[in-house]
């Protein structure tokens, strides 16, 4: 490009102030944050005074035409230009060499000549800005600064990098799994879209593109603790089911928790002597081929030689890789069919938003449910099999839809609408008995309080707060320690005094049974299954839909699909907040849906562990 007007640029004011000897704080010659300032050119804006502050960069326009606004045919044009970026919102700065910087020429904006350019040395600051219409949507933003002196640009890059290196919690080394066939087959394409963000942030990534079902599971279970600890976290590029596979791989190989508590009659029916049995990490693992599960590594069943007192274990962890672990985090870049976990933890189903949460080192605690299958069928022997879920466990309608949709994967996400319609028209109900652990604050169990169970919350925050306290960034409920303990599964330890707990039971024919660990917002349910379910409060939301006329069930589903709806406000809906429950099928069986993965079970028990894992996320803003 011609360097027209270069002499003007060379003569522009340019000064760089450094601290004097009196200002030296003994920090090895580092500049004070407020002491670095110089005249620069900001691309597509004009000449600015750029300042390095304690919390970020700020700049002020020097050209008065911008202060006064420009005009086109007598109409004043508003040029609102960002004037700062915080280091907490910046993930990289890089020197980009010699090239064009475009200076605003607002007087000619009406005639298609908005900018004219100069040649100079440049550096770029990479961060993000929030969408004006969707606050949870983060859009990558780049600010390009120019100066005629290369050493000035280099000094700025070094100083900004030093500030970014002081930001705590940001990952340096990540293990990335890419599911190439996830959703509409967007897994690899989505990773290629966001990979430059990780490269600019100087994050090392070991990328594994899975070649078969269970590939990621095998890698995680076989990797040594020393190698795993060399990573700051695991990132999955795929859907909820793919994340579930990797979550189970990590927990099944490194986290041995007690089985969930259970009422005495349930424990007797499955042959448990006590409710604190844990599976032996040294047990051999085989696959139950009778259930056609040989293609799913997550359904491997530990083989027990009876469940006598020798099988009673105390809580055990891998000392080299303890959990909960705030340092080691999971990241999810959405590429699935629903991506409910991403929507609940970032607020946006967007690969760039998720990638920015990861590189900026955001952290969010997440509840995890432990689900134990005791019998696969009514006739089977005791065969405890442990699975973990992060978002949802569903039976009946939810299980039938996911089971039927496996035959139509070629349809992509539309298969859920097609199979959902088929299952709805069949209107199958299933006989079952459930027992759930009573919560102290629960005085009633369904429609009279619409399942809100907020006595304790009102005691904390006052009666004037909204009935629906939605989980969001810096959620008060998730960040508050438990206010009651006798019936809370807040720690991974067995219930030592089961006589202090109270189990309530519900038996009948159910169209669906759901246990929501989070709200599970998605495109088909904008408010989720339970609008005020929280990410880290130690509760499951047990939702039981009793058999009812098809029209009534359609009304419920319609409310579920409507923003602002109230799908729990029906007489045939039971809703309970509980830390644990048990399930026994009494007739024809459906299948369980755990985070989008199939799980056959005639008898199971479940409990939630509060804040067991951490995600690279900050929660939705609304």
């Amino acid at each position: 490009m011609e360097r027209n007007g270069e002499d003007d640029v060379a003569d522009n004011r340019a000064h760089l102030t450094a601290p004097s000897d009196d200002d030296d704080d003994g920090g090895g010659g580092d500049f004070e944050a407020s002491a670095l300032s110089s005249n620069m050119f900001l691309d597509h804006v004009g000449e600015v005074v750029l300042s390095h502050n304690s919390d970020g960069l700020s700049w002020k326009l020097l050209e008065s035409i911008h202060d006064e606004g420009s005009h086109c045919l007598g109409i004043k044009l508003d040029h609102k230009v960002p004037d700062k970026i915080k280091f907490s919102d910046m993930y990289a700065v890089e020197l980009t060499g010699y090239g064009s910087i475009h200076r605003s020429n607002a007087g000619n904006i009406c005639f298609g000549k908005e900018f004219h350019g100069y040649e100079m040395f440049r550096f770029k600051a990479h961060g993000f800005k929030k969408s004006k219409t969707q606050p949870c949507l983060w859009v990558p933003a780049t600010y390009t600064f120019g100066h005629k002196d290369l050493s000035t640009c280099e000094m700025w890059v070094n100083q900004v990098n030093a500030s970014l290196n002081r930001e705590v919690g940001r990952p340096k080394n990540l293990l990335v799994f890419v599911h190439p066939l996830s959703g509409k087959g967007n897994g690899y394409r989505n990773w290629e879209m966001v990979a430059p963000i990780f490269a600019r942030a100087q994050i090392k990534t070991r990328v594994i593109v899975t070649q078969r079902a269970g590939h990621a599971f095998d890698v995680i279970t076989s990797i040594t603790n020393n190698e795993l600890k060399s990573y700051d976290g695991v990132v999955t590029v795929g859907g909820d089911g793919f994340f579930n596979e990797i979550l189970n791989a990590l927990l099944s190989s490194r986290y041995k928790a007690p089985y969930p508590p259970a009422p005495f009659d349930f424990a007797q029916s499955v042959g448990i002597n006590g409710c604190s049995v844990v599976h032996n990490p040294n047990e051999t693992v085989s696959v139950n081929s009778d259930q056609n599960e040989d293609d799913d590594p997550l359904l491997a069943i530990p083989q027990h030689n009876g469940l006598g007192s020798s099988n009673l274990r105390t809580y055990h962890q891998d000392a080299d890789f303890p959990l909960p672990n705030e340092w080691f985090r999971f990241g999810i870049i959405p590429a699935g069919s629903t991506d409910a976990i991403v929507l609940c933890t970032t607020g946006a189903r967007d690969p760039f938003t998720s990638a920015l949460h990861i590189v900026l080192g955001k952290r969010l605690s997440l509840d995890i449910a432990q689900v134990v299958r005791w019998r696969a069928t009514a006739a089977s022997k005791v065969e405890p099999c442990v699975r973990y879920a992060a978002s949802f466990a569903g039976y009946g309608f939810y299980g039938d839809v996911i089971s039927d949709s496996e035959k139509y994967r070629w349809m992509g996400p539309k298969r859920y609408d097609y199979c959902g319609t088929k299952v709805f028209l069949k209107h199958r109900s299933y006989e079952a008995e459930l027992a759930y652990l009573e919560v102290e604050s629960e005085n009633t169990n369904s429609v009279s309080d619409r399942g809100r169970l907020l006595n304790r919350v009102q005691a904390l925050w006052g009666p004037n707060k909204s009935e629906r306290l939605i989980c969001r960034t810096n959620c008060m409920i998730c960040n508050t320690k438990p206010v009651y303990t006798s019936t809370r599964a807040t720690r991974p330890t067995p219930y030592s005094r089961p006589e202090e707990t109270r189990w309530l039971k519900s038996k009948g024919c159910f169209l669906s049974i759901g246990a929501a660990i989070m709200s599970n917002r998605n495109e088909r349910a904008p408010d989720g299954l339970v609008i005020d379910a929280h990410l880290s409060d130690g509760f499951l939301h047990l939702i039981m839909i009793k058999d009812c006329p098809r029209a009534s069930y359609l009304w419920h589903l319609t409310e579920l699909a409507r923003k602002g709806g109230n799908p729990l406000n029906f007489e045939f809906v039971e809703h309970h907040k509980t830390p644990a429950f048990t399930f026994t099928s009494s007739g024809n069986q459906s299948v369980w849906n755990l985070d989008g993965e199939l799980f056959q079970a005639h008898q199971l028990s479940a409990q939630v562990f509060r804040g067991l894992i951490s995600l690279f996320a900050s929660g939705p803003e609304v």
Side-chain angles (χ1 to χ4, degrees):
M1 182 176 193
E2 295 286 339
R3 298 180 64 181
N4 296 330
E6 181 179 328
D7 292 339
D8 293 336
V9 176
D11 292 338
N12 270 321
R13 296 184 304 275
H15 63 275
L16 189 65
T17 59
S20 63
D21 293 338
D22 294 337
D23 295 328
D24 191 356
D25 62 354
D30 288 344
F31 286 110
E32 292 285 347
S34 60
L36 190 59
S37 176
S38 64
N39 286 21
M40 308 289 290
F41 274 86
L42 178 57
D43 194 28
H44 291 123
V45 175
E47 189 177 9
V48 299
V49 177
L50 180 64
S51 300
H52 184 291
N53 307 310
S54 60
D55 63 345
L57 300 180
S58 64
W59 52 89
K60 182 178 180 181
L61 283 165
L62 290 178
E63 297 177 332
S64 60
I65 188 170
H66 287 278
D67 298 330
E68 299 171 357
S70 58
H71 295 74
C72 177
L73 300 179
I75 301 174
K76 186 175 180 178
L77 301 177
D78 186 17
H79 294 279
K80 291 184 178 180
V81 180
D83 58 0
K84 62 183 177 181
I85 181 172
K86 294 182 178 180
F87 293 130
S88 59
D89 297 337
M90 189 189 308
Y91 66 89
V93 61
E94 60 178 342
L95 194 67
T96 56
Y98 200 80
S100 298
I101 287 288
H102 298 88
R103 179 177 178 180
S104 175
N105 185 5
N108 292 329
I109 192 171
C110 301
F111 306 102
K113 298 181 180 179
E114 182 179 355
F115 303 106
H116 57 89
Y118 299 106
E119 298 288 310
M120 58 183 70
F121 296 101
R122 305 165 302 169
F123 69 91
K124 293 183 178 182
H126 296 280
F128 76 93
K129 59 183 178 181
K130 296 178 181 178
S131 169
K132 294 181 179 179
T133 57
Q134 303 179 56
C136 292
L137 186 65
W138 291 6
V139 181
T142 300
Y143 302 95
T144 303
F145 297 93
H147 197 277
K148 65 185 182 66
D149 181 43
L150 176 60
S151 62
T152 298
C153 291
E154 290 175 336
M155 180 177 294
W156 275 98
V157 170
N158 292 336
Q159 292 302 312
V160 174
N161 267 326
S163 297
L164 293 182
N165 289 335
R166 287 191 286 268
E167 292 291 316
V168 298
R170 297 195 175 184
K172 299 297 182 183
N173 195 10
L174 294 171
L175 179 59
V176 180
F177 289 94
V178 180
H179 193 317
L181 302 179
S182 186
K184 295 181 180 180
N186 293 334
Y188 192 75
R189 183 175 64 184
N190 284 8
W191 170 247
E192 285 187 321
M193 288 167 52
V194 301
I197 293 178
F198 292 84
R200 292 190 198 104
Q202 299 181 0
I203 298 175
K204 296 180 180 178
T205 55
R206 177 191 172 191
V207 181
I208 299 176
V209 181
T210 57
Q211 305 297 318
R212 54 178 172 80
H215 185 182
F217 185 94
D218 293 340
V219 172
I220 292 293
T221 54
S222 62
I223 196 172
T224 65
N225 280 335
N226 285 336
E227 183 179 354
L228 191 60
K229 287 192 296 184
S230 69
Y231 299 106
D232 298 304
V234 174
V235 175
T236 67
V237 187
D240 295 336
F242 190 47
F243 173 74
N244 180 274
E245 177 183 336
I246 292 174
L247 173 70
N248 275 271
L250 182 75
L251 295 181
S252 65
S253 60
R254 291 171 171 85
Y255 186 72
K256 309 300 180 185
Y259 288 142
F264 180 77
D265 55 349
F266 181 90
Q268 290 294 102
S269 69
V270 296
I272 312 174
N273 294 326
C275 300
S276 58
V277 182
V278 294
H279 54 291
N280 188 338
N282 297 318
E283 288 167 333
T284 59
V285 176
S286 63
V287 175
N288 185 357
S289 59
D290 292 339
Q291 298 300 321
N292 295 320
E293 295 170 350
D294 52 320
D295 291 332
D296 190 345
L298 302 183
L299 300 187
I301 301 171
Q303 298 300 305
H304 291 253
N305 297 318
L307 288 172
S309 59
S310 62
N311 286 47
L312 296 178
R313 308 282 181 181
T314 58
Y315 166 68
H316 167 75
Q317 276 206 69
D318 191 326
D320 291 335
F321 200 88
L323 290 166
N325 188 330
E326 294 184 357
W327 156 73
F328 188 89
R329 282 161 285 179
F330 290 84
I332 308 174
I333 295 175
S337 299
T338 56
D339 299 312
I341 298 177
V342 165
L343 276 170
C344 291
T345 55
T346 69
R349 189 184 178 189
D350 174 66
F352 288 106
T353 299
S354 294
L356 290 166
H357 275 83
I358 295 170
V359 299
L360 291 173
K362 302 298 182 180
R363 190 186 71 80
L364 182 71
S365 295
L366 201 65
D367 288 347
I368 297 297
Q370 178 201 51
V371 180
V372 179
R373 179 182 65 198
W374 295 101
R375 298 182 190 273
T377 64
S380 62
K381 297 180 180 179
V382 176
E383 43 181 33
C385 172
V386 178
R387 287 283 296 274
Y388 296 91
S391 62
F392 177 72
Y395 183 83
F397 178 84
Y398 302 112
D400 291 347
V401 170
I402 199 72
S403 177
D404 193 48
S405 68
E406 288 297 306
K407 299 179 291 186
Y408 303 99
R409 280 192 168 271
W410 55 271
M411 295 177 64
K414 291 182 179 179
R415 68 185 186 272
Y416 295 116
D417 295 328
Y418 174 69
C419 295
T421 302
K422 286 176 58 181
V423 173
F424 169 77
L425 292 175
K426 290 179 180 178
H427 200 64
R428 291 176 179 170
S429 61
Y430 300 93
E431 188 175 355
E433 179 177 281
L434 292 98
Y436 54 94
L437 199 58
E438 184 186 31
V439 176
E440 286 182 0
S441 61
E442 184 172 28
N443 298 320
T444 179
N445 65 0
S446 60
V447 70
S448 62
D449 63 354
R450 299 185 183 183
R452 296 298 181 236
L453 311 180
L454 290 176
N455 295 359
R456 290 288 176 176
V457 173
Q458 290 177 351
L460 279 173
W461 314 119
N464 294 326
K465 291 290 182 180
S466 171
E467 182 182 334
R468 292 182 171 184
L469 297 176
I470 300 174
C471 193
R472 62 186 70 202
T473 303
N474 298 321
C475 176
M476 294 184 298
I477 292 178
C478 293
N479 293 335
T480 302
K481 292 182 179 180
V483 295
Y484 44 90
T485 57
S486 65
T487 59
R488 286 291 297 274
T490 57
R491 293 182 297 174
T493 55
Y495 286 82
S496 57
R497 301 184 66 183
E499 68 276 7
E500 294 184 355
T501 66
R502 181 184 176 194
W503 290 90
L504 303 179
K505 293 186 179 181
S506 181
K507 184 176 182 180
C509 289
F510 302 96
L511 292 170
S512 66
I513 299 167
I517 309 161
M518 57 180 65
S519 63
N520 285 280
R521 286 190 296 274
N522 57 73
E523 292 178 352
R524 294 168 180 81
D527 289 336
L529 298 177
V530 184
I531 188 172
D532 51 356
H534 287 264
L535 296 171
S536 184
D537 64 352
F539 282 121
L540 294 165
H541 286 258
L542 189 60
I543 307 167
M544 294 175 280
I545 312 296
K546 298 177 182 178
D547 197 2
C548 63
R550 186 181 283 107
S552 298
Y553 192 46
L554 178 61
W555 190 3
H556 162 76
L557 295 176
T558 301
E559 287 293 295
L560 195 63
R562 183 175 67 87
K563 189 170 182 61
N566 198 343
L568 305 180
N569 189 25
F570 293 93
E571 292 183 356
F572 54 86
V573 177
E574 282 191 53
H575 172 212
H576 310 277
K577 279 171 66 174
T578 180
F581 74 93
T582 63
F583 163 88
T584 301
S585 174
S586 303
N588 294 330
Q589 286 186 232
S590 179
V591 63
W592 281 88
N593 166 4
L594 302 184
D595 290 350
E597 297 297 304
L598 297 176
F599 193 57
Q600 185 76 33
H602 168 70
Q603 284 182 306
L604 63 77
S605 57
Q607 67 177 326
V608 65
F609 293 139
R610 186 177 188 183
L612 183 58
I613 68 168
S614 295
L615 260 66
F616 286 108
S618 60
E621 295 204 11
V622 291

